[in-house]
Amino acid sequence: MADKTYENIEIKREGQITFVMLNRPDKRNAMSPGLHADMCDALETLATDAETRVLVLGGNGPAWCAGQDLKLYFREGAKDPMMRRKANNDSHHWRWEQLSRYPKPTIAMVHGYAFGGAFTQLCACDFAIVAEDATLGLSEVNWGIIPGGIVSWNLSDMMLPRHALYYAATGETFDGKRAVELGLANFSVPAAKLREETVKFATKLTKLNPNVLRYTKEGVKAVRHMTPENARDYLGVKQDSLMRLDKEIGDRVGMSEFLDKKSYRPGLGPYKR
Ligand code: COA
């Protein structure tokens, strides 16, 4: 079935990798109320799409995302509280509630510019690959506002405290290499290779058992704010649930191939079903 078309985003596919591209290039992919609504709908649809094994969040044109749309989200929103309320809810819903708990692995593929509110979806994605020459920044201070929504929380969660405060307080920009040093991205690559490297990494993810991958990411994220005791309980129950969900793991096929048949070495590559 053909993908739905949207006014503010574009869906593209490459095998089992689905690219969701913010598509307001003329406005540097600034996030308007319409874009937020489109993203909520697309993420909901793709969450249960069997052809989507990995979701990549990118941006069309010269920017990944220039943050919230200062005109349509902030200025127009100030005049229309009901519209602002819906946009605010949609904005939080897709960038955090949906993305940070997405049932498929997600990769932020960042190029050009990434500012302000864009940091929430950057942090919500499971992985981030950034172009070396990308320009990222918390520019809110320049507008007389604070990194709101949950951006300040995202910074505190992902970055060391001194770095988070430094970049939020100064609005100073940094490039893709620095984003890796700050803990915001997994790796940076030359801009010309961004898509190719993203596809290479995403393809690697498609070869892993999707249930194990999903439970692993849910587990790693969930235990972050738990006590060790709670984490141990949670992960024990989580593992039991995984083994019930996935018969192959329940039967310990991979383990039997290593211990009994001696036909598989996990250190040499992922298990192939
Ligand atoms: N909100 C609304 N519109 C925005 C926007 C934003 N966050 N970012 C860019 N745009 C619009 C510009 O107003 C311009 O619109 P116009 O053609 O109708 O005048 C268009 O996008 C192109 O922007 P421009 O500044 O000409 O492009 P550029 O490539 O020279 O610079 C940026 C790109 C991203 C560096 C620059 O637009 C910028 O600094 N934007 C603000 C980013 C920001 O601070 N975001 C955080 C908001 S809290």
Side-chain angles (χ1 to χ4, degrees):
M1 199 172 68
D3 283 314
K4 205 164 157 182
T5 52
Y6 295 93
E7 197 182 330
N8 303 287
I9 63 174
E10 186 185 16
I11 313 281
K12 293 180 182 167
R13 293 183 184 259
E14 187 166 329
Q16 296 176 307
I17 306 164
T18 300
F19 292 81
V20 179
M21 308 297 287
L22 304 191
N23 193 26
R24 301 184 73 224
D26 293 350
K27 301 293 180 189
R28 305 302 182 257
N29 294 325
M31 297 179 286
S32 62
L35 181 144
H36 290 311
D38 287 352
M39 282 302 298
C40 289
D41 188 79
L43 290 182
E44 183 68 29
T45 304
L46 294 170
T48 52
D49 170 47
E51 303 306 312
T52 300
R53 284 286 293 273
V54 177
L55 186 138
V56 174
L57 182 63
N60 286 339
W64 189 62
C65 176
Q68 295 289 7
D69 190 305
L70 292 154
K71 183 162 178 255
L72 299 179
Y73 184 86
F74 285 114
R75 185 179 279 175
E76 298 300 322
K79 296 181 207 154
D80 183 348
M82 295 312 285
M83 181 274 272
R84 173 63 194 264
R85 185 182 159 81
K86 177 172 181 338
N88 190 273
N89 285 344
D90 285 351
S91 164
H92 182 66
H93 185 57
W94 81 263
R95 290 181 309 146
W96 189 251
E97 291 170 340
Q98 289 178 294
L99 258 190
S100 71
R101 298 181 201 171
Y102 214 60
K104 325 272 175 83
T106 54
I107 304 173
M109 179 177 74
V110 182
H111 76 288
Y113 298 107
F115 284 110
F119 276 61
T120 293
Q121 64 261 34
L122 171 63
C123 295
C125 285
D126 301 322
F127 308 99
I129 306 176
V130 185
E132 285 169 357
D133 65 356
T135 302
L136 299 92
L138 282 313
S139 55
E140 285 88 340
V141 67
N142 300 305
W143 306 106
I145 56 177
I146 61 173
I150 60 163
V151 172
S152 292
W153 185 89
N154 295 132
L155 304 178
S156 300
D157 192 51
M158 282 265 156
M159 296 162 77
L160 292 171
R162 291 230 182 264
H163 293 318
L165 186 52
Y166 179 87
Y167 287 104
T170 63
E172 210 172 272
T173 59
F174 51 92
D175 65 14
K177 286 185 179 170
R178 183 72 177 140
V180 176
E181 291 169 0
L182 295 172
L184 286 165
N186 294 91
F187 40 94
S188 62
V189 297
K193 294 203 152 208
L194 180 64
R195 189 185 161 93
E196 180 188 330
E197 291 296 327
T198 304
V199 168
K200 205 189 285 178
F201 177 60
T203 303
K204 202 185 271 188
L205 295 175
T206 65
K207 297 194 189 314
L208 299 170
N209 178 314
N211 294 320
V212 180
L213 191 51
R214 186 180 127 212
Y215 272 56
T216 299
K217 72 174 200 156
E218 286 173 357
V220 169
K221 288 185 180 190
V223 298
R224 182 154 162 65
H225 300 286
M226 288 184 193
T227 62
E229 292 75 19
N230 289 345
R232 187 164 177 248
D233 274 352
Y234 169 88
L235 293 171
V237 174
K238 192 95 180 152
Q239 178 64 40
D240 288 347
S241 151
L242 173 60
M243 288 170 79
R244 272 198 303 280
L245 172 76
D246 194 311
K247 192 81 179 79
E248 185 171 290
I249 300 168
D251 292 344
R252 302 262 173 178
V253 176
M255 208 171 279
S256 121
E257 301 215 340
F258 179 70
L259 293 176
D260 309 323
K261 299 179 195 157
K262 298 195 180 292
S263 58
Y264 166 60
R265 300 278 181 281
L268 303 182
Y271 180 71
K272 290 189 181 56
R273 289 169 167 239

